[in-house]
């Protein structure tokens, strides 16, 4: 599969991932009563050098950053699938890429705080949501993007408690 086609399928996968993440966030917020985060809007506002506005005037910026970032980063997952970085391991690596992207942009703009300074419940919620994003995007990308042919390599299995 050509690189451009893999990236385009990845964008579709990113859209599916961000839709699943957004749905999960809304369901989680019903239980936790956690308010909407405007960190994406603050980050995009700083990246674009826009004047500061109150959160209630940032919904468009928030959606642009939240959806745009998730969709565009999906292109990377499409390229990963095309090169054979697939399945749960590919999705786990992609989750870390997404977290790194978020933290780099948020902290470089002065909007975010280092994640290890966050309360544990916020860390847990962020990891769960980014995991949902990455694994849904990965499943879609792996389905849409043809990877290189790599026949399974026969290996001797192992059993716990027995010598290898």
């Amino acid at each position: 599969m050509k690189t451009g086609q893999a990236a385009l399928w990845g964008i579709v996968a990113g859209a599916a991932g961000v839709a699943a993440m957004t749905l999960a966030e809304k369901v989680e917020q019903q239980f936790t009563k956690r308010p909407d985060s405007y960190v994406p809007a603050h980050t995009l506002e700083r990246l674009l050098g826009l004047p500061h506005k109150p959160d209630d005037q940032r919904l468009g910026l928030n959606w642009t950053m939240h959806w745009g970032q998730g969709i565009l980063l999906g292109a990377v997952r499409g390229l990963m699938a095309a090169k054979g970085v697939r399945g749960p391991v590919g999705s786990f690596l992609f989750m870390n890429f997404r977290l790194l992207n978020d933290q780099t942009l948020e902290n470089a703009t002065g909007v975010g705080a280092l994640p290890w300074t966050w309360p544990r419940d916020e860390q847990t919620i962020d990891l769960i949501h980014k995991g949902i994003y990455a694994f849904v995007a990965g499943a879609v990308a792996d389905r849409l993007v043809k990877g290189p042919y790599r026949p399974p390599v026969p290996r001797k299995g192992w059993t716990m408690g027995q010598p290898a």
Side-chain angles (χ1 to χ4, degrees), residues 47-82:
L47 287 169
L48 298 177
L50 299 174
H52 179 76
K53 290 185 179 179
D55 284 348
D56 63 356
Q57 295 178 18
R58 289 190 168 126
L59 186 59
L61 275 179
N62 216 39
W63 286 358
T64 299
M65 187 66 166
H66 175 79
W67 285 87
Q69 185 173 245
I71 290 169
L72 289 176
L73 290 178
V76 172
R77 187 60 179 85
L79 296 172
M80 290 170 70

Side-chain angles (χ1 to χ4, degrees), residues 1-12 74-76 78-79 82-83 145:
M1 176 171 287
K2 293 185 179 187
T3 302
Q5 187 178 10
L8 286 174
W9 282 124
I11 286 171
V12 171
V76 172
L79 296 172
K83 295 298 180 183
V145 177

Side-chain angles (χ1 to χ4, degrees), residues 139-153:
V140 173
D142 289 347
R143 179 84 175 148
L144 295 175
V145 177
K146 185 177 179 182
Y149 176 70
R150 292 192 175 148
V153 177

Side-chain angles (χ1 to χ4, degrees), residues 15-25 67 132-133 136:
V18 78
M21 178 177 72
T22 303
L23 178 62
E25 288 169 342
W67 285 87
I132 290 167
Y133 164 78
V136 169

Side-chain angles (χ1 to χ4, degrees), residues 43-128:
T43 303
L44 185 57
E45 182 180 80
R46 294 254 179 107
L47 287 169
L48 298 177
L50 299 174
H52 179 76
K53 290 185 179 179
D55 284 348
D56 63 356
Q57 295 178 18
R58 289 190 168 126
L59 186 59
L61 275 179
N62 216 39
W63 286 358
T64 299
M65 187 66 166
H66 175 79
W67 285 87
Q69 185 173 245
I71 290 169
L72 289 176
L73 290 178
V76 172
R77 187 60 179 85
L79 296 172
M80 290 170 70
K83 295 298 180 183
V85 184
R86 305 170 68 85
V89 171
S91 294
F92 178 75
L93 293 172
F94 182 60
M95 180 180 86
N96 286 281
F97 174 72
R98 173 61 196 263
L99 289 164
L100 178 64
N101 182 77
D102 283 2
Q103 288 305 306
T104 300
L105 293 175
E106 292 168 13
N107 287 288
T109 58
V111 170
L114 297 171
W116 50 87
T117 67
W118 301 359
R120 285 190 179 155
D121 59 344
E122 289 182 29
Q123 291 178 22
T124 301
I125 287 168
D126 194 49
L127 288 172
I128 289 169

